[in-house]
């Protein structure tokens, strides 16, 4: 416990002491090499390419991916592919001492270290976003001439492999795509011999291996490709030559300068030190240690930075990490929860830039003239666009039409604006998609017997009958119409479309109906089954991730949502439990949310597809197990923890709305709220003591503080700021763009 460090007894000193304190290291670490890719290897990624390292002593495997490498086409689903492997074979025994394998989230660098015959060996691994390469550095600190190994590159399919000088290349073609990857070895001292299928290093002081790859995928192209194999080769070679001209020190410095400011935006300190036992022991034997919650929260942010920076594609079912060519669910984009959950933490966890690939993907496909998403809508005799449940990167979409997904995707487009207030983005990118999506529903909706507009023949993923007006569809279309009207107000759009939208919104069924046993109804006709433990919470979209259900809007619906959520139970696998964490947080039940978080952290080693409650949880490398590995549970858990810390409500930003007793003392820094605000808060014994809010846009700051009394607002450099307590319980004060304000509570 670090009570003495952070809670000094004087409230006025607490926040400053916490803010200036040394950040608790965020590390996964182990005392043995990884044995299984899915459960124990560790990931590095730069948003487009990534790798998993095992940390073997006599033999190391670095398996790597490019997010755009897919088999399949516009007419065949195909699957995400394993790009290849690098194998290091060392002239040393397998036995060693002082072994340590770790992944630092703070600097996005993996490390393996050990000692053999008095010689210390060290490897470092990172994926650089600025240089678009993966880097491996091998050294023997304090010793020279001790590195002796061979390096071999292996294609993940049946492509060609070539060794030319100190560069190894794999290349090949799939249904639509061509690809190429290169690895270049640079040795300090010693000799490097080129063999037909490998490079052999003898007596080197240090070695740097640079790896990169690419395909000719282009989302905007009608054929989804641009350029041929020669163009890919020129692009990959130019990238490699540029990176190889830099020293390892420079490559690492550029990587850290890029990554660290992004990751360091947010801290979560639950008054726990880094334990002196390994991460697998932490999860297996010490799950109640709050350090695990801190680590798991930040791991989701690390994985987002590793799988969703730049490029044209969002994170897939495994982010971008995949070691087989027939992964579960093809590692695709499931439109009924998975790709959406991947982006739940993007704004609140202060990684707004990571939204760009998802936004690019949706806006490009939705507006692609004659594209497959538009064709789905035309088959429904509707304008706009729609998708089925399973989607590849070439616009191919199949298995059960999922019409409300278009509305769900649009809520993400709006959320990005709501947090950033980027009006140019709203006008040029989000608005065109939101408008045509509304037009799809203009054409699709019909009147029911009460004269309300309902979506015909819809479902509640992934079970039950197909009926008119199910909650899943109604709640999402309601959110779409409401947010599109808000966007129209911001953009001052006043045309026939807005008039039609207002008229239809006034008649739209909102999907909130209380059933016979007090629940939010899932279906219109079929009676809901009490005790239905289906993993999807589709009838509670209005609770989370949308916000139509709230105790601050209508207590009756909030209580009905609680009944429905309680009926679903606390079971289910990885991502479903993460969703439940967020839902219970929205209902201000921190103890239930925490209990579900602990269940979501249940250790498992099941790697085959299973819907058994006991099979889900996390692996020892903290990947979420559905099972098998599905990364949405990692992102969902990060979002759920953030929801326990901060919520946007109709009355203002609600701080610590669902704080469990297990987190009685702590602080967070850098969580975002709508309106361009960033909050820092410190608390003791469950009560806020001090905080800070930064205003990026100069909006009026509104906070809802039912469990705290704000006694002072001060400019960071200046005097006090007057605030008002409004009749609805909101605390309000003016802000200036780019300024920060200190908050003191009692």
């Amino acid at each position: 416990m670090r009570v003495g460090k952070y809670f000094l007894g004087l409230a006025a000193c607490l926040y400053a002491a916490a803010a200036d304190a040394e950040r608790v290291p965020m590390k996964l670490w182990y005392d043995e090499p990884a044995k299984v890719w899915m459960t124990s290897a560790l990931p590095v990624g730069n948003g487009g390419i990534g790798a998993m390292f095992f940390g073997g002593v006599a033999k190391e495997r670095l398996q790597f991916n490019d997010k755009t490498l897919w088999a399949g086409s516009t007419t065949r689903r195909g699957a995400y592919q394993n790009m290849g492997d690098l194998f290091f074979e060392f002239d040393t025994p397998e036995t060693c001492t002082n072994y340590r394998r770790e992944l630092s989230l703070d600097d996005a660098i993996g490390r393996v270290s050990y000692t053999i015959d008095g010689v210390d060996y060290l490897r470092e691994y990172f994926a650089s976003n600025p240089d678009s390469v993966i880097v491996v550095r091998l050294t023997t600190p304090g010793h020279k001439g001790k590195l002796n190994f061979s390096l071999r590159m292996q294609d993940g399919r049946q492509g060609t492999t070539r060794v030319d000088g100190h560069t190894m290349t794999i290349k090949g073609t799939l249904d639509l795509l061509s690809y190429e990857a290169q690895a270049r070895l640079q040795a300090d001292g010693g000799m490097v011999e080129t063999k037909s299928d490998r490079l052999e290093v003898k007596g080197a002081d240090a070695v740097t291996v640079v790896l990169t790859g690419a395909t000719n995928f282009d989302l905007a192209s009608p054929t989804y490709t641009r350029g041929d194999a020669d163009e890919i080769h020129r692009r990959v070679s130019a990238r490699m030559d540029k990176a190889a001209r830099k020293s390892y020190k420079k490559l690492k410095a550029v990587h850290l300068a890029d990554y660290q400011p992004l990751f360091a935006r947010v801290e979560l300190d639950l008054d726990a030190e880094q334990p002196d036992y390994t991460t697998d022991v932490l999860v297996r034997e010490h799950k109640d240690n709050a350090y695990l919650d801190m680590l798991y929260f930040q791991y989701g942010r690390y994985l987002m930075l590793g799988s969703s920076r730049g490029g044209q594609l969002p994170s897939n079912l495994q982010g971008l990490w995949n070691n087989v060519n027939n992964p579960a669910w093809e590692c695709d984009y499931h439109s009924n929860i998975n790709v959406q959950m991947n982006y739940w933490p993007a704004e609140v966890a202060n990684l707004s830039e990571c939204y760009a690939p998802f936004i690019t993907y949706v806006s490009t496909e939705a507006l692609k003239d004659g594209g497959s998403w538009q064709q789905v809508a035309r088959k429904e005799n509707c304008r706009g666009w729609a998708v089925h449940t399973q989607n590849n990167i070439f616009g191919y979409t199949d298995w059960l039409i999922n019409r409300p997904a278009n509305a769900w995707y649009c809520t993400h487009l709006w959320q990005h604006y709501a947090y950033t207030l980027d009006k140019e983005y709203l006008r040029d990118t989000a608005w065109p998609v939101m408008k045509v999506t509304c037009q799809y529903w203009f054409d699709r909706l019909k009147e029911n017997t009460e004269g309300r507009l309902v979506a015909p023949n819809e479902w509640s993923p992934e079970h039950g009958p197909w009926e008119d007006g199910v909650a899943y569809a109604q709640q999402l279309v309601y959110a779409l119409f409401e947010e599109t009207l808000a966007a129209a107000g911001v953009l001052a759009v006043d045309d026939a479309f807005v008039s039609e939208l207002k008229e239809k919104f006034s008649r739209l069924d909102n999907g909130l109906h209380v059933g016979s046993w007090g629940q939010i109804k899932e279906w219109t006709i079929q009676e809901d089954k009490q005790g239905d433990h289906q993993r999807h919470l589709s009838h509670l979209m209005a609770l989370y991730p949308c916000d139509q259900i709230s105790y601050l809007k209508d207590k009756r619906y909030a209580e009905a949502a609680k009944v429905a959520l309680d009926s679903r139970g606390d079971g289910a696998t990885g991502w479903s439990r993460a969703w439940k964490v967020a839902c219970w947080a929205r209902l201000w039940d921190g103890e239930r949310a925490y209990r579900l978080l602990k269940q979501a952290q249940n250790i498992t080693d099941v790697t085959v597809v299973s819907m058994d409650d006991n099979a889900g949880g996390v692996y020892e490398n903290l990947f979420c197990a559905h099972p098998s590995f599905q990364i949405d549970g990692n992102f969902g858990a990060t979002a759920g923890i953030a929801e326990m810390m901060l919520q946007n409500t109709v009355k203002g930003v609600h701080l610590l709305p669902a704080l469990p007793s297990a987190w009685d003392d702590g602080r967070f820094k850098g969580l975002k709220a709508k309106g361009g605000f960033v909050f820092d808060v410190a608390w003791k014994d469950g009560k806020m003591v001090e905080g800070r809010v930064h205003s990026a846009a100069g909006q009026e700051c509104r906070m809802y503080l039912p469990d705290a009394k704000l006694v002072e607002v001060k400019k960071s450099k200046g005097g006090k700021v007057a605030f008002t307590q409004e009749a609805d319980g909101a605390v309000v004060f003016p802000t200036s763009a780019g300024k920060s304000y200190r908050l003191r509570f009692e």
Side-chain angles (χ1 to χ4, degrees), residues 51-64:
M52 299 280 282
F53 68 94
F54 285 68
V57 175
K59 185 175 182 178
E60 168 64 307
R61 177 189 177 193
L62 184 80
Q63 183 274 324
F64 59 94

Side-chain angles (χ1 to χ4, degrees), residues 15 20 44 68 185 194 203 218 316 338 359 370 426 469 500 541 547 570 579 721 741:
Y15 182 83
D20 295 337
V44 295
T68 65
L185 185 152
T194 302
D218 186 345
N316 59 41
N338 307 109
I359 292 169
L426 182 64
E500 185 176 8
M541 297 298 305
D547 61 2
D570 289 353
W579 194 353
V721 177
Y741 302 84

Side-chain angles (χ1 to χ4, degrees), residues 688 705-712 723 725 731 744-746:
M688 282 186 290
L705 305 170
D707 301 316
K709 181 180 180 182
L710 181 66
V711 296
E712 185 178 75
F723 62 91
Q725 182 83 46
V731 175
R744 186 163 62 86
F745 305 94
E746 69 175 29

Side-chain angles (χ1 to χ4, degrees), residues 160-175:
T160 61
T161 303
R162 187 180 77 252
V163 181
D164 184 10
H166 292 182
T167 301
M168 295 178 290
T169 303
I170 58 172
K171 60 174 59 179
T173 59
L174 297 169
D175 300 295

Side-chain angles (χ1 to χ4, degrees), residues 121-293:
Y121 292 82
L122 173 65
R123 301 178 211 149
E124 292 186 313
Y125 315 72
F126 63 84
S128 169
N129 181 273
D131 286 311
S132 297
V133 295
I134 295 168
V135 180
V136 183
R137 176 71 166 178
L138 303 93
T139 58
T140 54
H143 294 83
K144 292 187 176 182
K146 295 294 185 180
L147 286 174
N148 300 280
F149 66 93
S150 67
L151 178 64
R152 179 171 57 88
M153 193 176 194
Q154 180 172 297
D155 195 306
R157 287 146 314 286
Q158 298 298 319
T160 61
T161 303
R162 187 180 77 252
V163 181
D164 184 10
H166 292 182
T167 301
M168 295 178 290
T169 303
I170 58 172
K171 60 174 59 179
T173 59
L174 297 169
D175 300 295
L176 281 184
L177 300 178
S178 297
Y179 65 90
E180 180 172 320
Q182 295 181 13
R184 185 171 298 177
L185 185 152
Q186 295 175 311
D188 300 342
M191 294 190 307
V192 180
E193 294 185 5
T194 302
K195 303 294 184 180
S196 61
D197 66 341
R198 68 189 63 213
L199 297 172
E200 293 189 354
V201 177
K202 298 181 179 179
D205 303 333
V207 172
T208 302
V209 177
V210 178
L211 170 68
T212 191
T215 77
N216 60 339
F217 175 79
D218 186 345
L219 183 71
S221 166
T223 64
Y224 290 92
T225 63
R226 191 172 303 278
D228 56 13
D230 290 339
E231 189 278 331
I232 299 171
H233 177 71
R234 288 191 294 271
R235 180 154 43 101
V236 172
S237 297
R239 186 189 301 168
M240 176 62 76
D241 291 342
K242 182 179 178 181
R245 285 194 293 268
K246 297 179 180 179
S247 66
Y248 175 73
K249 183 178 180 180
K250 179 64 174 177
L251 287 168
K252 183 177 179 180
V254 169
H255 161 68
L256 292 175
D258 167 71
Y259 172 84
Q260 286 182 325
L262 294 169
F263 185 77
R265 287 175 180 170
V266 173
E267 296 181 33
L268 176 61
D269 189 333
L270 300 175
D271 195 31
E273 297 279 8
Q274 181 186 11
D276 58 4
Y277 39 80
T278 60
T279 303
D280 53 316
V281 173
L282 172 66
V283 182
R284 292 182 188 280
E285 302 178 16
H286 304 277
K287 195 172 66 173
D288 292 335
N289 188 328
Y291 181 82
L292 176 59
D293 304 326

